[in-house]
Amino acid sequence: MNHATPNLATPNLTTPGLATLERWLTGPRFAGLPARGTGHPAPALSFEFFPPRTEALETQLWSCIRRLEPLRPRFVSVTYGAGGSTQARTHATVARMVGETSLVPAAHLTCVGATREEVDDVARGYWAAGVRHIVALRGDAAPGTTYAPHPGGYAYAADLVAGLRRVADFEISVAAYPETHPAAASAEDDLDSLKRKLDAGATRAITQYFFDSGVFLRFLDRCLAAGITAPVVPGIMPVSNFAQAARFSAMCGTTVPDWLGHLFEGLDNDPETRRMVGAFQAAELVRLLQANGIDEFHFYTLNRPDLTYAIAHILGVRAAA
Ligand SMILES: Cc1cc2nc3c(=O)[nH]c(=O)nc-3n(C[C@H](O)[C@H](O)[C@H](O)COP(=O)(O)OP(=O)(O)OC[C@H]3O[C@@H](n4cnc5c(N)ncnc54)[C@H](O)[C@@H]3O)c2cc1C
């Protein structure tokens, strides 16, 4: 069949009387979203969990891990509670992953409020437990206080990365902020800080979550312009509880676009529809990124597998047989 080539020139949409059909026939064409077999192999994934506080949450976490394990993520990471408050639980979770799963665990480690020796000891403990990947972070000051480095500690994440490299041959990931870290002096300073972390020996940056694909893609452009060549992996947080996500976003500096609020409007007492809307929104975000060549994603699972599993499926990832 011989299809006429569409006219790719941008139409003048203000032309009076330009009908929908004419706009469609003469208007700009979007590239199709990626489909299987069109040069978009399934992306590499990683999943983030938090260490459980109770037995019930432990059961929930492990059922989440078992559900996502067949998707063969590149690695899975376990967070470190504020100021190291989950040190033992983070360790127990990653050690169990090493012993009981086929997963490659990455332990988060922060340096706030601790001496270098204390932090190095925790890192040695991870190494002894068979953990070879660390997500190295500064961490935050207690609520209502301003961050100040511990006198005998690593001041910033870049210093921690350098310290970890002296402890053992860890693979190290660090944090990046497409909308700039809330306490950074400027966006440029924050990008310099990311570069220092990578120059100190980290091999990948994982971003704070964001809701607008343009925010991430513009950040990637800035990273490239600054000479960053390490992978910058988008952090994706599927939303099922909008109110909670909005509260959390205000704390970590993620912009919540108006359209996101509209999507969840009227659904406060309808968790089922909220979940479907959340899956739609996150799927659209990752597919747009995938259409722009992004082939690695980090999911903030909040220890719930359903949305992450569905979105991974939409991205073309299939469970191991
Ligand atoms: C993927 C990811 C995972 C996370 N996991 C955890 C977790 O498990 N536990 C937890 O408690 N928190 C976690 N956080 C939150 C993180 O600890 C906070 O965002 C923290 O405020 C900054 O940590 P950082 O490693 O990015 O710090 P840094 O890279 O050290 O940067 C912190 C701030 O200091 C500035 N800065 C850097 N170097 C210098 C310097 N030399 N002089 C002056 N300013 C400087 C930076 O621009 C930035 O504003 C995570 C964040 C992300 C994105």
Side-chain angles (χ1 to χ4, degrees):
M1 218 162 49
N2 184 16
H3 291 287
T5 310
N7 175 3
L8 297 179
T10 307
N12 179 0
L13 295 180
T14 58
T15 308
L18 188 66
T20 305
L21 181 60
E22 192 180 346
R23 263 206 313 267
W24 167 242
L25 289 173
T26 60
R29 289 286 180 275
F30 287 92
L33 284 174
R36 284 196 106 173
T38 55
H40 280 277
L45 305 182
S46 51
F47 303 134
E48 181 177 304
F49 306 108
F50 62 85
R53 227 181 25 253
T54 62
E55 249 177 64
L57 289 176
E58 168 119 12
T59 307
Q60 179 186 324
L61 167 66
W62 279 89
S63 122
C64 176
I65 290 171
R66 292 301 182 196
R67 172 84 170 130
L68 296 177
E69 185 178 9
L71 297 179
R72 289 173 293 187
R74 184 169 279 174
F75 65 91
V76 293
S77 77
V78 181
T79 60
Y80 200 68
S85 54
T86 66
Q87 194 184 113
R89 282 183 275 134
T90 300
H91 183 104
T93 305
V94 287
R96 186 170 167 193
M97 284 170 165
V98 170
E100 297 181 21
T101 74
S102 59
L103 296 164
V104 176
H108 291 218
L109 178 57
T110 66
C111 55
V112 58
T115 64
R116 287 175 202 196
E117 290 70 29
E118 285 164 344
V119 172
D120 290 356
D121 274 351
V122 176
R124 278 190 209 97
Y126 284 143
W127 185 268
V131 177
R132 299 290 178 262
H133 184 164
I134 291 199
V135 182
L137 304 140
R138 187 199 74 180
D140 286 309
T145 64
T146 311
Y147 175 78
H150 188 288
Y154 296 114
Y156 293 99
D159 308 306
L160 172 60
V161 172
L164 289 171
R165 298 236 42 95
R166 290 189 290 269
V167 169
D169 189 21
F170 286 112
E171 176 176 355
I172 301 173
S173 298
V174 290
Y177 302 87
E179 299 185 78
T180 304
H181 183 268
S186 69
E188 287 66 36
D189 279 10
D190 207 31
L191 204 56
D192 285 348
S193 145
L194 173 59
K195 202 158 183 310
R196 279 196 298 277
K197 294 191 268 194
L198 294 165
D199 290 346
T203 52
R204 152 194 313 99
I206 302 170
T207 76
Q208 184 59 276
Y209 70 88
F210 53 90
F211 294 113
D212 179 342
S213 56
V215 162
F216 176 79
L217 294 169
R218 283 191 293 274
F219 178 63
L220 209 53
D221 275 345
R222 293 180 46 234
C223 288
L224 290 171
I228 290 172
T229 52
V232 178
V233 181
I236 306 295
M237 191 175 76
V239 173
S240 58
N241 182 334
F242 177 74
Q244 187 190 55
R247 270 197 309 278
F248 198 55
S249 301
M251 287 191 289
C252 64
T254 294
T255 302
V256 179
D258 288 345
W259 56 257
L260 191 65
H262 290 308
L263 276 184
F264 286 94
E265 219 165 55
L267 297 178
D268 289 356
N269 300 314
D270 187 351
E272 185 62 22
T273 308
R274 278 206 316 261
R275 253 205 314 282
M276 286 193 265
V277 170
F280 155 76
Q281 177 268 320
E284 186 177 73
L285 175 61
V286 294
R287 293 271 284 169
L288 277 169
L289 294 176
Q290 193 181 35
N292 280 280
I294 307 305
D295 60 359
E296 203 171 339
F297 297 89
H298 182 80
F299 283 90
Y300 296 104
T301 69
L302 304 181
N303 293 5
R304 295 180 186 280
D306 297 0
L307 290 185
T308 296
Y309 193 94
I311 298 155
H313 185 92
I314 289 168
L315 279 168
V317 178
R318 296 292 177 267

